[in-house]
Structure formats: structure tokens, C-alpha cells
Amino acid sequence: MSLTIAILKETQPDEKRVSMIPAVAQRLARLGASLIAQQGAGAAATYTDDSYTQAGVSQVTDRPSLVAGADIVLAVQPPDIETVRAMKPGSLLVSFIYAQSQPELIKALRDGRITTFAMEMIPRISRAQAMDALSSQAALAGYYAPLLGSVHMQKILPMMTTAVGSLRAARVLVMGLGVAGLQALATAHRLGAICEGYDVRPETREQAASVGAKFVDTGVDATGTGGYARELTDDEKARVRTVLSQHIAQADMIITTAAIPGRRAPRLIDAAQLAAMKEGSVVVDMGAPSGGNCEGTRVGEVVKVGPVTLVGPTNLPSCLAAQASELYAKNIYALLEQVVHEGALAPDFSDAVISGTTLTHDGAITNDAVKQLVENSPAESA
């Protein structure tokens, strides 16, 4: 028995990644699967149609017929509802879903009896690290953020000695020391900047030091659950603001990375703090897609706000599409290894990783929070 796995071509304008690359596709085939890609699926990420052919991956042009015959459908971004409706009942979709903003898509997956593995829901536990697509993509986004910021600066990052004197190293402040923030600090440090890192979780102090940065201590501990920070109270926000304002004013570049899953990005920098920054300073707001960590951020735009150039990128991993796709494909492979056995799809829903990742199955929404959101929506209640 052999499974058919479909690899979709991404359709969002800013998405260059592909869910499965040729080298990893060959490993999937050894699990007892045949793979079919939508023609041109990997082109934007530098993976040609010929490279898929050489890896034994067939190709078709028609998207509906591709998914109609597939047991497993792979994607990066959530597919459109028409694609979901073309999938056969009992098949498996593996992609990022972001269910809180996709209630109609969730209904279509439920009503089509599709099993959905949402890659952003992979539990953040040690056993699931190889499957953790959020972390793999965040690492590349964090690496790219200071490079993007440096393009908009009118000074260099490292100290430089010339025949007519020395140029001072730039000061870089990274706010939010998760995977992306630590990688941003490491990159800025390697480029020669003077680096500071801030996070509401004090245990990140040692992590910041490990990549060559000083930790900004505000005296507030906001350690949350599941590897994320909790939201601060108004009093805590005021205390943090007092300490941070001085460091913000001294920075040549700031990178903000704070995010709370399923909610608006927390505000880290307000208009008054922006106004107090140096002329020509730059803020790269990695929270832009979920509302922005900085007041004045515009999603997908570069704007001048007072003395500051404010950059609001939408999809940083896509800027490094070749290697972002490679890591994402390996995340998917590690996940499918757990559910594909001897050429058959056999997920163990009693496994904490599988159950934690599953969004819909057998005509039901299996995640309680998403179920409540969808069932309480106006269209569903009518």
C-alpha cells in the first residue's frame, strides 16, 4: 500500500517557500509514499521542476485534481477553501493554519472530514523539537532582521578604524528574546554591533549573554506558559517603560519580536519613545503581521516616523526561501514519520504531540479554543 502526498504551490503574493524540497521528498518516499507536486511549486525557492523530477516526484498543473487524489496535502500557508473542498474525506492537511483568523476555513475542513495538522500548534516540548516549524522559521527570520535593518541605516554596525579616525560601533537593542530575538542578537553581534537584549522573562539573561549581549533588567518577571511570555499588567508596563525608554533612546537599531499566539502583538514602543530616538535610527518590527510591537508600524511598509525609519516586514522567512523551505520540509518529515507506517496513514491520537497538533478530525474540531471560536461565530450560530 502506498500513500499519495501532494505538494501545493503557494499562492500568497509574499510567500516564496515550498512545503517539501526534493531531497526530503526522497526520504518521504522511503516511508511508503508517492509524491506529486503542483508544477512550479518550488520555483520561487530555487527548487526547479527538474530537481523534483530527478527526486522521483511527479508533477501536475491542475490543483483540484492534485488534491482530490491525495491522502496527504502539504502546504506552507493555509490553502484556500476551494482547495480544501476538493480534498477527499479522510485525507490529511499539513500546513500552518492560524485558526483564530480562519474560521471559514476551519468549518470547511471540519465539514469535509479532513484531518488537519496545524504546524503552529506543534507542542513546544523537547520530544517535538525536530517538528517545531515555528522555531525553525523564527531562527531564520531573526537572522535576517538585523540585515534588513542595516540596509535602512546610514551608518555601519561594527567599529571601524580609518586613516582619518575611528567610527563607533552601532548600538542594537533586541526586544523579545525568543528564538527570533536571540538569533537577531547573535547576528548583530557577529556583525560587530554593541548589543543589548530585553525580555520580560528574566531567565533569558543568560541566553542573551551567551550570544554576546547585555541584558536590560527592568525588575519585572512575566514568565508565562508554553514557552511564551504572559501579558503585563498596566503597572508592570509603566515600570518597564521607565527603564526601557533610556535604552530605546540610545539605540541605532531596534528589533522587536514579541508575539502572543492568537492575539494582537503587544505594544513595546510608543510614539513618545520613538520621538526620543536618534535621527536616522531604525526599528524592524517583526510583530507587524499581528498588529505591530511599535506604534506607527504599517504592515509591509517602510515609513518615516519622526526621527525613525520604521520597517514592518510581513514574511521574513520567505526572504530566505531556499533554506526556510529546507527546514520546514524537515519539520514536516519528522512529523509524518510519527503517523505514516508501512505506507499507511496511522496517527496515534493518544500521543501528546499528535493530539496537540490536530485541529480537525473525522468531522469535528478537536481543539477546544478553536471549536468555541468557530461555533460562536455569527454564521455558525445562525
Side-chain angles (χ1 to χ4, degrees), residues 5 21 39 45 52 67 72 85 93 112 118 126 138 173 217 248-249 251 273 277 284 309 328 360 370:
I5 300 179
I21 69 169
Q39 195 169 42
Y52 283 96
V67 300
I72 302 174
R85 288 175 177 162
L93 171 66
S126 58
L173 170 63
D217 190 353
I248 289 170
Q273 290 170 318
M277 290 183 70
V284 179
T309 298
Y328 183 68
T360 63
V370 175

PDB file of all heavy atoms in Angstrom, residues 5 21 39 45 52 67 72 85 93 112 118 126 138 173 217 248-249 251 273 277 284 309 328 360 370:
ATOM      1  N   ILE A   5       1.109  11.775  -1.639  1.00  0.00           N
ATOM      2  CA  ILE A   5       1.333  13.046  -0.963  1.00  0.00           C
ATOM      3  C   ILE A   5       1.408  14.145  -2.008  1.00  0.00           C
ATOM      4  O   ILE A   5       2.198  14.062  -2.954  1.00  0.00           O
ATOM      5  CB  ILE A   5       2.624  13.016  -0.126  1.00  0.00           C
ATOM      6  CG1 ILE A   5       2.542  11.921   0.945  1.00  0.00           C
ATOM      7  CG2 ILE A   5       2.892  14.376   0.508  1.00  0.00           C
ATOM      8  CD1 ILE A   5       3.793  11.801   1.793  1.00  0.00           C
ATOM      9  N   ILE A  21      10.943  19.941  -0.163  1.00  0.00           N
ATOM     10  CA  ILE A  21      12.018  20.090  -1.146  1.00  0.00           C
ATOM     11  C   ILE A  21      12.411  18.719  -1.683  1.00  0.00           C
ATOM     12  O   ILE A  21      12.120  17.693  -1.051  1.00  0.00           O
ATOM     13  CB  ILE A  21      13.230  20.819  -0.532  1.00  0.00           C
ATOM     14  CG1 ILE A  21      13.923  19.943   0.521  1.00  0.00           C
ATOM     15  CG2 ILE A  21      12.803  22.156   0.068  1.00  0.00           C
ATOM     16  CD1 ILE A  21      15.267  20.486   0.975  1.00  0.00           C
ATOM     17  N   GLN A  39       2.981  21.870 -10.452  1.00  0.00           N
ATOM     18  CA  GLN A  39       4.072  22.391 -11.286  1.00  0.00           C
ATOM     19  C   GLN A  39       4.470  23.802 -10.834  1.00  0.00           C
ATOM     20  O   GLN A  39       3.629  24.653 -10.583  1.00  0.00           O
ATOM     21  CB  GLN A  39       3.643  22.408 -12.749  1.00  0.00           C
ATOM     22  CG  GLN A  39       4.800  22.588 -13.718  1.00  0.00           C
ATOM     23  CD  GLN A  39       4.364  22.323 -15.155  1.00  0.00           C
ATOM     24  OE1 GLN A  39       3.299  22.736 -15.580  1.00  0.00           O
ATOM     25  NE2 GLN A  39       5.202  21.629 -15.901  1.00  0.00           N
ATOM     26  N   ALA A  45      11.541  29.291  -4.558  1.00  0.00           N
ATOM     27  CA  ALA A  45      12.520  28.964  -3.513  1.00  0.00           C
ATOM     28  C   ALA A  45      13.779  28.338  -4.105  1.00  0.00           C
ATOM     29  O   ALA A  45      14.568  27.746  -3.377  1.00  0.00           O
ATOM     30  CB  ALA A  45      11.894  28.014  -2.501  1.00  0.00           C
ATOM     31  N   TYR A  52      12.715  18.276  -8.872  1.00  0.00           N
ATOM     32  CA  TYR A  52      11.688  17.381  -8.327  1.00  0.00           C
ATOM     33  C   TYR A  52      11.597  16.101  -9.153  1.00  0.00           C
ATOM     34  O   TYR A  52      11.473  15.000  -8.611  1.00  0.00           O
ATOM     35  CB  TYR A  52      10.333  18.087  -8.280  1.00  0.00           C
ATOM     36  CG  TYR A  52      10.206  19.070  -7.136  1.00  0.00           C
ATOM     37  CD1 TYR A  52      10.457  20.418  -7.316  1.00  0.00           C
ATOM     38  CD2 TYR A  52       9.850  18.637  -5.861  1.00  0.00           C
ATOM     39  CE1 TYR A  52      10.361  21.320  -6.267  1.00  0.00           C
ATOM     40  CE2 TYR A  52       9.745  19.530  -4.798  1.00  0.00           C
ATOM     41  CZ  TYR A  52      10.007  20.870  -5.010  1.00  0.00           C
ATOM     42  OH  TYR A  52       9.924  21.752  -3.960  1.00  0.00           O
ATOM     43  N   VAL A  67      -5.176  17.573  -5.406  1.00  0.00           N
ATOM     44  CA  VAL A  67      -5.572  17.317  -4.020  1.00  0.00           C
ATOM     45  C   VAL A  67      -6.681  16.278  -3.927  1.00  0.00           C
ATOM     46  O   VAL A  67      -6.802  15.578  -2.913  1.00  0.00           O
ATOM     47  CB  VAL A  67      -5.987  18.624  -3.315  1.00  0.00           C
ATOM     48  CG1 VAL A  67      -4.827  19.612  -3.302  1.00  0.00           C
ATOM     49  CG2 VAL A  67      -7.216  19.254  -3.944  1.00  0.00           C
ATOM     50  N   ILE A  72      -2.410  12.844   1.620  1.00  0.00           N
ATOM     51  CA  ILE A  72      -1.815  13.893   2.446  1.00  0.00           C
ATOM     52  C   ILE A  72      -1.525  15.092   1.559  1.00  0.00           C
ATOM     53  O   ILE A  72      -0.962  14.936   0.469  1.00  0.00           O
ATOM     54  CB  ILE A  72      -0.497  13.417   3.107  1.00  0.00           C
ATOM     55  CG1 ILE A  72      -0.741  12.174   3.966  1.00  0.00           C
ATOM     56  CG2 ILE A  72       0.124  14.532   3.946  1.00  0.00           C
ATOM     57  CD1 ILE A  72       0.534  11.562   4.523  1.00  0.00           C
ATOM     58  N   ARG A  85     -12.127  22.059  -0.229  1.00  0.00           N
ATOM     59  CA  ARG A  85     -13.348  21.369  -0.675  1.00  0.00           C
ATOM     60  C   ARG A  85     -13.080  20.324  -1.748  1.00  0.00           C
ATOM     61  O   ARG A  85     -13.874  19.401  -1.942  1.00  0.00           O
ATOM     62  CB  ARG A  85     -14.360  22.394  -1.179  1.00  0.00           C
ATOM     63  CG  ARG A  85     -14.972  23.211  -0.030  1.00  0.00           C
ATOM     64  CD  ARG A  85     -15.873  24.313  -0.530  1.00  0.00           C
ATOM     65  NE  ARG A  85     -16.502  25.022   0.595  1.00  0.00           N
ATOM     66  CZ  ARG A  85     -17.066  26.224   0.498  1.00  0.00           C
ATOM     67  NH1 ARG A  85     -17.082  26.855  -0.671  1.00  0.00           N
ATOM     68  NH2 ARG A  85     -17.608  26.792   1.565  1.00  0.00           N
ATOM     69  N   LEU A  93      -4.321  17.250   5.931  1.00  0.00           N
ATOM     70  CA  LEU A  93      -3.694  18.503   5.533  1.00  0.00           C
ATOM     71  C   LEU A  93      -2.640  18.864   6.564  1.00  0.00           C
ATOM     72  O   LEU A  93      -2.909  18.851   7.773  1.00  0.00           O
ATOM     73  CB  LEU A  93      -4.731  19.632   5.453  1.00  0.00           C
ATOM     74  CG  LEU A  93      -4.169  21.049   5.262  1.00  0.00           C
ATOM     75  CD1 LEU A  93      -3.486  21.190   3.904  1.00  0.00           C
ATOM     76  CD2 LEU A  93      -5.273  22.096   5.423  1.00  0.00           C
ATOM     77  N   GLY A 112     -15.612  18.836   5.589  1.00  0.00           N
ATOM     78  CA  GLY A 112     -15.056  17.931   4.585  1.00  0.00           C
ATOM     79  C   GLY A 112     -14.435  16.689   5.184  1.00  0.00           C
ATOM     80  O   GLY A 112     -13.881  15.862   4.460  1.00  0.00           O
ATOM     81  N   ALA A 118      -1.965  21.405  12.263  1.00  0.00           N
ATOM     82  CA  ALA A 118      -1.580  22.816  12.179  1.00  0.00           C
ATOM     83  C   ALA A 118      -0.154  22.961  12.703  1.00  0.00           C
ATOM     84  O   ALA A 118       0.111  22.727  13.883  1.00  0.00           O
ATOM     85  CB  ALA A 118      -2.540  23.673  13.001  1.00  0.00           C
ATOM     86  N   SER A 126      10.556  18.996  24.339  1.00  0.00           N
ATOM     87  CA  SER A 126      11.824  18.521  23.783  1.00  0.00           C
ATOM     88  C   SER A 126      11.622  17.430  22.744  1.00  0.00           C
ATOM     89  O   SER A 126      12.326  17.384  21.732  1.00  0.00           O
ATOM     90  CB  SER A 126      12.737  18.023  24.912  1.00  0.00           C
ATOM     91  OG  SER A 126      12.100  16.986  25.649  1.00  0.00           O
ATOM     92  N   ALA A 138      11.442  30.964  12.769  1.00  0.00           N
ATOM     93  CA  ALA A 138      11.804  32.141  13.564  1.00  0.00           C
ATOM     94  C   ALA A 138      13.310  32.342  13.609  1.00  0.00           C
ATOM     95  O   ALA A 138      13.794  33.475  13.644  1.00  0.00           O
ATOM     96  CB  ALA A 138      11.248  32.004  14.977  1.00  0.00           C
ATOM     97  N   LEU A 173      19.427  47.145  19.966  1.00  0.00           N
ATOM     98  CA  LEU A 173      18.588  46.646  21.049  1.00  0.00           C
ATOM     99  C   LEU A 173      17.565  45.680  20.465  1.00  0.00           C
ATOM    100  O   LEU A 173      16.840  46.024  19.528  1.00  0.00           O
ATOM    101  CB  LEU A 173      17.869  47.810  21.741  1.00  0.00           C
ATOM    102  CG  LEU A 173      16.774  47.455  22.753  1.00  0.00           C
ATOM    103  CD1 LEU A 173      17.345  46.688  23.941  1.00  0.00           C
ATOM    104  CD2 LEU A 173      16.040  48.719  23.213  1.00  0.00           C
ATOM    105  N   ASP A 217      17.658  44.758  32.427  1.00  0.00           N
ATOM    106  CA  ASP A 217      16.854  44.269  33.552  1.00  0.00           C
ATOM    107  C   ASP A 217      15.910  45.361  34.021  1.00  0.00           C
ATOM    108  O   ASP A 217      16.332  46.418  34.477  1.00  0.00           O
ATOM    109  CB  ASP A 217      17.782  43.838  34.695  1.00  0.00           C
ATOM    110  CG  ASP A 217      17.042  43.100  35.799  1.00  0.00           C
ATOM    111  OD1 ASP A 217      15.790  43.040  35.743  1.00  0.00           O
ATOM    112  OD2 ASP A 217      17.705  42.577  36.708  1.00  0.00           O
ATOM    113  N   ILE A 248      16.056  52.638  24.658  1.00  0.00           N
ATOM    114  CA  ILE A 248      15.484  52.888  23.328  1.00  0.00           C
ATOM    115  C   ILE A 248      16.095  54.151  22.730  1.00  0.00           C
ATOM    116  O   ILE A 248      16.451  54.182  21.547  1.00  0.00           O
ATOM    117  CB  ILE A 248      13.940  53.004  23.430  1.00  0.00           C
ATOM    118  CG1 ILE A 248      13.334  51.628  23.728  1.00  0.00           C
ATOM    119  CG2 ILE A 248      13.349  53.586  22.152  1.00  0.00           C
ATOM    120  CD1 ILE A 248      11.856  51.668  24.084  1.00  0.00           C
ATOM    121  N   ALA A 249      16.223  55.186  23.527  1.00  0.00           N
ATOM    122  CA  ALA A 249      16.758  56.464  23.043  1.00  0.00           C
ATOM    123  C   ALA A 249      18.215  56.343  22.599  1.00  0.00           C
ATOM    124  O   ALA A 249      18.664  57.089  21.721  1.00  0.00           O
ATOM    125  CB  ALA A 249      16.617  57.521  24.129  1.00  0.00           C
ATOM    126  N   ALA A 251      19.607  53.631  21.186  1.00  0.00           N
ATOM    127  CA  ALA A 251      19.801  52.626  20.145  1.00  0.00           C
ATOM    128  C   ALA A 251      19.858  53.237  18.747  1.00  0.00           C
ATOM    129  O   ALA A 251      19.145  54.190  18.431  1.00  0.00           O
ATOM    130  CB  ALA A 251      18.681  51.591  20.210  1.00  0.00           C
ATOM    131  N   GLN A 273       8.309  57.404  22.806  1.00  0.00           N
ATOM    132  CA  GLN A 273       9.623  56.756  22.800  1.00  0.00           C
ATOM    133  C   GLN A 273      10.270  56.845  21.415  1.00  0.00           C
ATOM    134  O   GLN A 273      11.482  57.035  21.303  1.00  0.00           O
ATOM    135  CB  GLN A 273       9.483  55.301  23.243  1.00  0.00           C
ATOM    136  CG  GLN A 273       9.150  55.158  24.725  1.00  0.00           C
ATOM    137  CD  GLN A 273       8.768  53.741  25.099  1.00  0.00           C
ATOM    138  OE1 GLN A 273       8.036  53.072  24.373  1.00  0.00           O
ATOM    139  NE2 GLN A 273       9.262  53.274  26.239  1.00  0.00           N
ATOM    140  N   MET A 277      14.086  58.970  19.985  1.00  0.00           N
ATOM    141  CA  MET A 277      15.200  58.222  19.398  1.00  0.00           C
ATOM    142  C   MET A 277      16.078  59.123  18.540  1.00  0.00           C
ATOM    143  O   MET A 277      15.703  60.257  18.186  1.00  0.00           O
ATOM    144  CB  MET A 277      14.671  57.039  18.574  1.00  0.00           C
ATOM    145  CG  MET A 277      14.068  55.939  19.430  1.00  0.00           C
ATOM    146  SD  MET A 277      13.507  54.504  18.457  1.00  0.00           S
ATOM    147  CE  MET A 277      15.096  53.823  17.925  1.00  0.00           C
ATOM    148  N   VAL A 284      13.024  47.601  13.275  1.00  0.00           N
ATOM    149  CA  VAL A 284      12.460  46.498  12.493  1.00  0.00           C
ATOM    150  C   VAL A 284      11.441  45.800  13.384  1.00  0.00           C
ATOM    151  O   VAL A 284      11.794  45.172  14.382  1.00  0.00           O
ATOM    152  CB  VAL A 284      13.548  45.505  12.046  1.00  0.00           C
ATOM    153  CG1 VAL A 284      12.919  44.358  11.258  1.00  0.00           C
ATOM    154  CG2 VAL A 284      14.608  46.206  11.209  1.00  0.00           C
ATOM    155  N   THR A 309      13.183  55.429  11.032  1.00  0.00           N
ATOM    156  CA  THR A 309      12.674  54.632   9.911  1.00  0.00           C
ATOM    157  C   THR A 309      12.091  53.361  10.494  1.00  0.00           C
ATOM    158  O   THR A 309      12.788  52.580  11.151  1.00  0.00           O
ATOM    159  CB  THR A 309      13.791  54.285   8.916  1.00  0.00           C
ATOM    160  OG1 THR A 309      14.314  55.502   8.370  1.00  0.00           O
ATOM    161  CG2 THR A 309      13.265  53.414   7.796  1.00  0.00           C
ATOM    162  N   TYR A 328      11.596  23.706   6.942  1.00  0.00           N
ATOM    163  CA  TYR A 328      10.164  23.393   7.071  1.00  0.00           C
ATOM    164  C   TYR A 328       9.875  21.985   6.563  1.00  0.00           C
ATOM    165  O   TYR A 328       9.109  21.233   7.183  1.00  0.00           O
ATOM    166  CB  TYR A 328       9.351  24.435   6.299  1.00  0.00           C
ATOM    167  CG  TYR A 328       7.854  24.275   6.421  1.00  0.00           C
ATOM    168  CD1 TYR A 328       7.211  24.494   7.632  1.00  0.00           C
ATOM    169  CD2 TYR A 328       7.078  23.926   5.325  1.00  0.00           C
ATOM    170  CE1 TYR A 328       5.832  24.359   7.750  1.00  0.00           C
ATOM    171  CE2 TYR A 328       5.704  23.792   5.427  1.00  0.00           C
ATOM    172  CZ  TYR A 328       5.086  24.005   6.631  1.00  0.00           C
ATOM    173  OH  TYR A 328       3.721  23.870   6.751  1.00  0.00           O
ATOM    174  N   THR A 360      -8.570  19.495  13.310  1.00  0.00           N
ATOM    175  CA  THR A 360      -9.846  18.868  12.946  1.00  0.00           C
ATOM    176  C   THR A 360      -9.600  17.399  12.635  1.00  0.00           C
ATOM    177  O   THR A 360      -8.519  17.015  12.168  1.00  0.00           O
ATOM    178  CB  THR A 360     -10.489  19.531  11.714  1.00  0.00           C
ATOM    179  OG1 THR A 360      -9.621  19.359  10.565  1.00  0.00           O
ATOM    180  CG2 THR A 360     -10.738  21.011  11.929  1.00  0.00           C
ATOM    181  N   VAL A 370     -10.445  26.660  19.526  1.00  0.00           N
ATOM    182  CA  VAL A 370     -10.863  26.924  18.147  1.00  0.00           C
ATOM    183  C   VAL A 370     -12.321  26.518  17.942  1.00  0.00           C
ATOM    184  O   VAL A 370     -13.090  27.215  17.267  1.00  0.00           O
ATOM    185  CB  VAL A 370      -9.938  26.186  17.161  1.00  0.00           C
ATOM    186  CG1 VAL A 370     -10.442  26.342  15.730  1.00  0.00           C
ATOM    187  CG2 VAL A 370      -8.513  26.705  17.285  1.00  0.00           C
TER     188      VAL A 370
END
